[in-house]
Amino acid sequence: MCPYTVVNSMRDAELYDASQLSRRRGEIVGNKRVLIVGNGGREHALAWKLAQSPELERLFVAPGNAGTVLWNVAIQAQDISALVEFALKEKIDLTVVGPEDPLSSGIVDAFYEAGLRIFGPTQAAAQLEGSKSFAKTIMESARIPTAKWEMFEDPEQAKNYVRTIGAPCVLKADGLAAGKGVIVAMDLESALQAVDEIMEGGFGTAGKKLVIEEFLEGQEVSLLCFSDGEMAYPMVPVQDHKRALEGDLGLNTGGMGTYSPPPIWTAEIEANVMRDLVSPTLQVMRERGTPFQGVLFLGLMLTEQGPKLLEYNVRFGDPETQVVMKRLKSDILPILWACTEGRLSETRLEWKEDVAVCVVMAAMGYPLAYTKGVPIRLPENYQDTVIFHAGTGISDGQLISTGGRVLGITAEGKTLHEAREKAYALVNQIDFPKAHFRRDIGVKGLNPYK
Ligand code: AMP
Ligand code: GLY
C-alpha cells in the first residue's frame, strides 16, 4: 500500500468526472456549471453523482474535503455572501446545498435575491428542521401521525409534566443543536436531569424552549423526497445507525452507517407515507406561502399503529445520501433542476435493484472529543466500492483526518449480505489507526423481524 496522496484524490475524482473525460476525448461537454455547498460525506456523494452527469460543464465544491479536491473552492458553507459572489462571478447555473445551517441562515433567499438558481428550501421553509416546535405545529395542521408533545419555556413546568407522563419519554431542544439536542430518557430520574441539561446546559438559545414527547417504539427509517413545492418523489428508503456503538448502544451521533433498502419497508408503507405525511406537509407549506423546494427528509418510526413522523430534515441526510446516490440510476442533475422550476412531474427516477451499504469510519472518541490529524492510507484499487470522504484533508501531500466522521465505505451487492461483505472487506484494507466503526451496519436488515 502506498501513501494516499493528493494525486490519488485527483485521480479518483477524475475517474467520475464526465465533463473532464469528454473534454479530454474532444467530445461535446454539457453546459451546466454546478456548485455544491458543504464538506461532508454527503457532499462527496453528491459530487460523485453530479460529476457523472452528461449535462455538466464544470463542478465546484465549497469548501469540500480531500475526496472532492478536484473541484474544491476555499469558501466556508456558512459564508453566504462569499458564496453568492462566487456564484455570480463563476456564472454558476445551479447551486446545491448540503448542510442545514446555511439553509436555516437563509442561503436560498440570498441566492434568489441575486437572481441565482439554487436547490433547497427558503429560510422560512427550513424551519421545518430549524425549530422542533414549528415542525410539530405543521404536523398538527397537516394532521400527520406523530408522537404526542408539549412545549415548555419554564424548567419547573417541564419537570411537572415529566412527572405526569412518566418515563420513557423524549426531550428535545427546540433549535438546531448539531444532532445532539435529543435525549431519550428511559427512567424518570434521567428525564428530570435531561430538563436541566437542555434548558440550563450547553445548548444555548437552542435549549431555551424544550419539547417533551411521547416515546415511540419501532424501527426507524429515513425517507428522503425530492420536492418542487407542488409534488414530491420519494428516494429509496434507508436505515441509519445513529448510536455510536454496536447493538444500538452508546451516544447518538450524526449516523454511523446506512443501508438501503430495509426489508421492513413495503410499497404499501411508502404509498401511505406519501399520501398521509408528505403531500399534506407540502400542502400546508404552500398554504402558508412558504412552499417547500428541496429535499424533504422524513425521520419515521414504523410503529404497530403505522408510520409516525419523528422529525423533518430539510436536506439530504448524511450518511443516507451515500447509499441513495450509489443506488440512483438516473442522472441527478435534471431532477434537481426540475425541482427549482416546479417541473418535477416531468422527470423520472430510476433506481438499481442492488442493495447498498455505507460503513462510517470515525475518529477515536467521536461523538465526544476526538483526535484529528491522523494519517490515513487507502488501498490503490477498490473496484466499484466507493470511499466517500467526510472529515478528511491533505497535509504535505498526505491524507489526514480532520473531523469526527472521516470516511464512508459504500458498497453495492445483489444481496445485503454481499454488500456488507464488500464494504467490510474494504474497511479492513484501510490503514486508519484507531478508527472507530460499527461492525453491525445492516445487521438489522438480515434479521428484519427480530
Ligand atoms: P430527532 O433528532 O428528533 O430525529 O431525534 C434523534 C433520535 O432520537 C431519533 O433518530 C430517534 O432515535 C430518537 N427519537 C426522537 N424522538 C423519539 C420518539 N418520540 N420516540 C422514540 N425515539 C425518538
Ligand atoms: N443521518 C441523519 C441526518 O442526516 O440527519
Side-chain angles (χ1 to χ4, degrees):
M1 200 186 294
C2 74
Y4 186 89
T5 63
V6 68
V7 178
N8 300 58
S9 265
M10 289 280 191
R11 180 210 58 195
D12 284 358
E14 270 173 356
L15 276 180
Y16 298 108
D17 193 318
S19 61
Q20 302 224 6
L21 289 175
S22 306
R23 212 172 267 121
R24 226 171 297 135
R25 289 196 207 110
E27 293 167 4
I28 296 172
V29 178
N31 61 3
K32 296 201 167 84
R33 296 166 71 81
V34 178
L35 168 66
I36 298 173
V37 176
N39 64 352
R42 157 184 56 207
E43 287 77 13
H44 187 188
L46 288 170
W48 172 82
K49 185 67 191 168
L50 274 162
Q52 297 173 54
S53 171
E55 294 191 5
L56 187 74
E57 187 212 319
R58 193 157 170 202
L59 185 62
F60 300 90
V61 186
N65 55 40
T68 57
V69 66
L70 186 65
W71 310 294
N72 287 355
V73 180
I75 304 174
Q76 294 306 308
Q78 273 291 22
D79 195 346
I80 294 176
S81 53
L83 289 166
V84 168
E85 201 181 308
F86 177 83
L88 287 171
K89 185 174 111 251
E90 285 293 338
K91 300 194 166 42
I92 299 295
D93 298 295
L94 173 69
T95 298
V96 185
V97 187
E100 60 271 31
D101 285 349
L103 292 168
S104 290
S105 308
I107 189 171
V108 170
D109 311 68
F111 270 62
Y112 285 167
E113 252 168 57
L116 291 160
R117 182 187 300 269
I118 184 162
F119 176 84
T122 57
Q123 185 170 35
Q127 278 192 81
L128 279 181
E129 176 166 0
S131 162
K132 302 264 186 217
S133 54
F134 177 81
K136 281 292 197 182
T137 310
I138 297 294
M139 290 181 213
E140 262 179 11
S141 336
R143 299 177 186 283
I144 286 174
T146 182
K148 290 195 203 76
W149 69 290
E150 291 284 341
M151 194 184 64
F152 297 92
E153 296 188 39
D154 173 57
E156 280 319 307
Q157 281 178 9
K159 285 183 192 168
N160 283 337
Y161 181 70
V162 165
R163 287 188 195 100
T164 325
I165 61 164
C169 63
V170 184
L171 300 99
K172 301 183 174 185
D174 182 52
L176 283 180
K180 291 173 193 146
V182 175
I183 298 176
V184 180
M186 298 312 287
D187 56 71
L188 190 60
E189 200 183 325
S190 20
L192 294 170
Q193 260 175 23
V195 173
D196 288 332
E197 218 170 289
I198 292 179
M199 299 194 88
E200 282 150 28
F203 293 108
T205 49
K208 274 215 163 108
K209 292 185 192 165
L210 172 71
V211 169
I212 303 181
E213 262 184 30
E214 165 200 15
F215 174 79
L216 296 178
E217 253 185 294
Q219 284 208 37
E220 280 186 69
V221 174
S222 305
L223 187 70
L224 284 63
C225 305
F226 289 110
S227 170
D228 65 359
E230 281 296 319
M231 56 93 68
Y233 280 154
M235 300 183 216
V236 283
V238 182
Q239 263 186 323
D240 188 8
H241 298 64
K242 294 228 164 122
R243 301 297 193 95
L245 305 176
E246 279 153 33
D248 289 335
L249 299 172
L251 294 172
N252 253 323
T253 70
M256 292 300 294
T258 41
Y259 77 102
S260 169
I264 192 172
W265 190 257
T266 61
E268 191 192 344
I269 298 180
E270 183 159 304
N272 287 348
V273 168
M274 294 309 290
R275 188 192 59 223
D276 298 341
L277 283 70
V278 176
S279 298
T281 303
L282 295 182
Q283 192 184 336
V284 168
M285 294 303 280
R286 269 197 311 275
E287 285 166 5
R288 294 176 61 95
T290 55
F292 189 94
Q293 182 265 110
V295 171
L296 185 65
F297 166 167
L298 272 57
L300 299 165
M301 188 71 91
L302 304 186
T303 72
E304 278 179 2
Q305 298 86 43
K308 293 197 179 179
L309 187 59
L310 290 179
E311 63 163 353
Y312 295 109
N313 292 314
V314 298
R315 51 175 173 83
F316 286 100
D318 191 343
E320 281 86 348
T321 305
Q322 287 82 323
V323 287
V324 168
M325 290 301 122
K326 197 80 170 75
R327 294 193 62 208
L328 180 58
K329 242 197 232 168
S330 318
D331 183 358
I332 190 176
L333 184 41
I335 297 163
L336 300 174
W337 194 274
C339 285
T340 66
E341 292 191 334
R343 287 189 306 100
L344 185 58
S345 62
E346 294 168 26
T347 64
R348 272 176 58 84
L349 275 178
E350 279 191 85
W351 301 95
K352 296 185 198 162
E353 290 294 322
D354 284 8
V355 178
V357 170
C358 170
V359 178
V360 169
M361 297 181 79
M364 188 181 62
Y366 176 79
L368 300 174
Y370 52 81
T371 32
K372 284 189 194 170
V374 179
I376 300 167
R377 288 164 189 241
L378 302 182
E380 265 295 292
N381 209 328
Y382 28 92
Q383 279 113 20
D384 69 333
T385 301
V386 187
I387 300 180
F388 289 125
H389 291 233
T392 65
I394 291 165
S395 167
D396 293 332
Q398 165 71 49
L399 181 70
I400 56 160
S401 69
T402 58
R405 291 187 293 173
V406 179
L407 300 169
I409 316 308
T410 309
E412 224 172 278
K414 290 275 161 262
T415 61
L416 176 55
H417 182 73
E418 187 190 332
R420 274 177 42 79
E421 296 254 302
K422 280 164 81 176
Y424 282 106
L426 185 53
V427 166
N428 289 333
Q429 286 180 57
I430 292 173
D431 179 6
F432 173 9
K434 301 205 171 131
H436 163 59
F437 63 91
R438 281 179 57 166
R439 286 170 205 278
D440 64 347
I441 303 302
V443 166
K444 253 185 243 172
L446 297 173
N447 313 295
Y449 305 108
K450 268 196 183 165

